[in-house]
Amino acid sequence: MGAQLRVYKRRIRAVTATKKITKAMEMIAASRIVKAQRRVAASMPYATELTRAVTAVATGSNTKHALTTEVEAPTRAAVLLITSDRGLAGGYSSNAIKQAERLAERLRGEGKEVDTYIVGRKGLAYYGFRERKVADSWTGFTDSPAYADAKRVAAPLIEAIQMETAEGGVDELHIVYTEFVSMMTQNAVDGRMLPLSLEKAEEETGAKGEILPLFDFEPSAEDVLDALLPRYVESRIYNALLQSAASEHAARRRAMKSATDNAGDLIKSLSRLANAARQAEITQEISEIVGGASAMADATAGSDK
């Protein structure tokens, strides 16, 4: 019984130490969510107004541009997948990866080749383990992305959309990220960045049915779109990185809270078992003492006779 009691006490100490770690990680994630939410809110007006500007330019001119003109028979698409660098965030990265897999399957069903670009070590490890080709990857900034990181990610994607498909370019740009809805809800979503769908852009900016102002372009509408193209892609990627970071912190907080609660339940269960083992040990010792006393009494009574 003594050995069993020591095993229970050792397990209680181990689980208690784990509970302290998960509680600390839960508190850290909770403190980071607020900052991440503020950054998402701060980035939204710029992204919205930039999309509105692109929509105004596209509707106010007849210029064919990679930003707004769809290829008649697209043959190649690029998919940017945003995951996390670290684990312990529940199903955050796996949900985004599954969404990317569904998107790639749909694109291949449409007869398009898919080039995959990945942000985050989790997504890179998933594709690397399965020996799948990755066009480019970036790691080290998923929990706190900066605009410079978005520019670094956007550069090869912009280059690919501007290049002819025969030379290794792509006809479409898609992005897969985790949309932050609330502290309890984060959804893995996908969307087409380029070519920009004007109807969808109007819905996103709340300008559906709105009469856009007329513009005179100097030197030309094409030059304006050339200038807006990198800004638009960078802002979309930056907003997606920020939403993914907020979602990652929320998912980690939820996962760590669940782990802390489970550790507490396990400690209670082990404590009950330890108490039962201690009571059984005490009962056994009392029985042995009573048995020994009875044997001594019987021996003394026998010698007196």
Side-chain angles (χ1 to χ4, degrees):
M1 288 294 178
Q4 189 176 16
L5 181 59
R6 285 194 296 273
V7 169
Y8 287 138
K9 286 183 176 179
R10 188 162 58 246
R11 290 190 63 189
I12 289 172
R13 286 195 297 270
V15 175
T16 301
T18 303
K19 182 181 178 181
K20 290 179 180 178
I21 295 171
T22 56
K23 183 65 177 178
M25 294 183 69
E26 176 191 346
M27 295 175 67
I28 291 170
S31 67
R32 289 177 175 175
I33 292 172
V34 178
K35 183 179 178 181
Q37 282 181 288
R38 289 173 182 167
R39 295 182 71 189
V40 171
S43 72
M44 290 301 292
Y46 176 77
T48 301
E49 288 304 318
L50 185 57
T51 303
R52 189 191 297 268
V54 172
T55 304
V57 175
T59 55
S61 68
N62 296 323
T63 303
K64 290 187 177 181
H65 195 274
L67 188 62
T68 57
T69 306
E70 295 191 28
V71 179
E72 291 185 4
T75 58
R76 199 165 187 172
V79 174
L80 174 63
L81 167 62
I82 300 176
T83 62
S84 66
D85 285 322
R86 298 183 294 134
L88 302 177
Y92 164 75
S93 291
S94 62
N95 290 337
I97 291 171
K98 289 176 183 176
Q99 187 70 22
E101 293 281 82
R102 287 192 288 268
L103 173 61
E105 186 177 350
R106 186 174 78 243
L107 292 174
R108 292 189 184 100
E110 296 171 359
K112 302 169 187 172
E113 269 186 73
V114 177
D115 290 345
T116 305
Y117 297 77
I118 297 177
V119 173
R121 292 189 179 94
K122 289 297 177 181
L124 192 59
Y126 178 88
Y127 278 74
F129 180 76
R130 287 158 182 77
E131 298 182 349
R132 297 183 183 176
K133 184 180 177 183
V134 176
D136 207 343
S137 63
W138 303 267
T139 60
F141 54 82
T142 59
D143 59 340
S144 184
Y147 193 80
D149 299 317
K151 290 185 70 173
R152 191 152 50 92
V153 173
L157 293 170
I158 295 170
E159 184 180 349
I161 196 69
Q162 291 176 330
M163 194 184 301
E164 295 292 334
T165 52
E167 300 174 0
V170 296
D171 299 315
E172 297 177 353
L173 290 183
H174 297 261
I175 187 169
V176 179
Y177 65 100
T178 306
E179 181 184 30
F180 183 86
V181 180
S182 67
M183 295 285 283
M184 297 302 297
T185 306
Q186 301 87 41
N187 300 322
V189 297
D190 66 81
R192 193 181 73 180
M193 285 193 293
L194 294 177
L196 177 65
S197 173
L198 298 182
E199 290 184 2
K200 190 172 181 180
E202 289 177 353
E203 291 177 1
E204 289 178 356
T205 58
K208 193 168 181 62
E210 178 184 338
I211 299 175
L212 296 171
L214 296 176
F215 291 97
D216 287 329
F217 303 109
E218 183 69 31
S220 67
E222 185 175 0
D223 291 331
V224 174
L225 289 173
D226 284 339
L228 287 177
L229 174 60
R231 303 288 85 79
Y232 170 76
V233 175
E234 289 165 7
S235 68
R236 286 291 300 270
I237 292 176
Y238 183 52
N239 183 260
L241 288 172
L242 292 177
Q243 293 211 47
S244 296
S247 299
E248 179 184 349
H249 294 315
R252 183 169 290 111
R253 187 202 67 84
R254 192 167 59 250
M256 291 300 99
K257 185 180 186 307
S258 178
T260 302
D261 294 342
N262 290 339
D265 294 340
L266 184 55
I267 289 171
K268 290 179 183 178
S269 177
L270 291 172
S271 297
R272 284 195 293 267
L273 293 172
N275 291 336
R278 186 182 297 109
Q279 291 170 359
E281 185 178 356
I282 293 170
T283 302
Q284 183 178 355
E285 289 177 358
I286 293 173
S287 298
E288 290 174 353
I289 292 170
V290 172
S294 297
M296 291 179 65
D298 292 341
T300 302
S303 62
D304 289 343
K305 291 180 180 179

